[in-house]
Amino acid sequence: MSGVTLVLGGVRSGKSRFAEGEIARCTAPWVYVATGQAFDQEMRERITEHQSRRDSRWHTVEAPFDVAQALDEAGEKPVLLDCLTLWLTNILLENRCVDEFVSLLLAALRRRVGPTVLVGNEVGLGVVPESALGRRFRDEAGVLHQRIAAEAGRVVFVAAGLPLVLKGKAL
């Protein structure tokens, strides 16, 4: 998965903007795989903000569950998948099998030929969640990120808008 870049960071760290910039260095058109679902007004506003940054060179695919299929259908086009942790949330809230979905994602990433940038929220740096579901989410997110990072060609952590390369070539 040498063409895969995993971008991690906290909420409002600048990770999505960084990831968009990475894909924009590739030849358009680009594919944006969106995993977020607008369950409330605040989430609708976040989605609208992200959409406003994308022009006609972007083709958006909404994939709250089937990200592996979206990656396969993108062919060799550069892909930005935003975000892994919203995707994981969708899976958990529907009580679906996380391992099955992660295995499908990893298989699709291994098949990818085109550049692929994945965005995820690093949730393991904060307090221990109060609920069992929150703790499971934190644990599953950590394992998901570790599994992808182990095979990705590059891993970048973004804090305060500043990228720190954890694995792979420097920026």
Side-chain angles (χ1 to χ4, degrees), residues 71-151:
L71 290 172
D72 286 339
E73 290 176 357
E76 295 183 15
K77 294 178 187 138
V79 171
L80 169 57
L81 188 154
D82 196 356
C83 100
L84 291 167
T85 41
L86 287 175
W87 173 69
L88 178 62
T89 298
N90 298 336
I91 295 166
L92 289 171
L93 291 176
E94 290 286 322
N95 203 26
R96 296 188 183 189
C97 180
V98 173
D99 287 337
E100 180 181 322
F101 277 88
V102 171
S103 292
L104 290 170
L105 169 61
L106 288 169
L109 289 171
R110 291 178 191 122
R111 289 189 296 271
R112 289 277 305 148
V113 176
T116 309
V117 177
L118 311 170
V119 176
N121 288 292
E122 177 52 64
V123 296
L125 298 173
V127 298
V128 175
E130 184 176 313
S131 70
L133 179 59
R135 289 187 299 276
R136 180 173 179 216
F137 168 75
R138 178 209 50 204
D139 294 348
E140 294 281 8
V143 170
L144 170 65
H145 293 151
Q146 287 182 52
R147 289 182 70 186
I148 293 171
E151 295 188 54

Side-chain angles (χ1 to χ4, degrees), residues 42-57:
E42 188 248 348
M43 190 61 179
R44 281 189 285 279
E45 291 170 4
R46 285 178 181 264
I47 290 171
T48 298
E49 176 191 339
H50 278 247
Q51 290 171 335
S52 72
R53 297 195 305 250
R54 298 192 303 268
D55 60 26
S56 62
R57 294 173 292 177

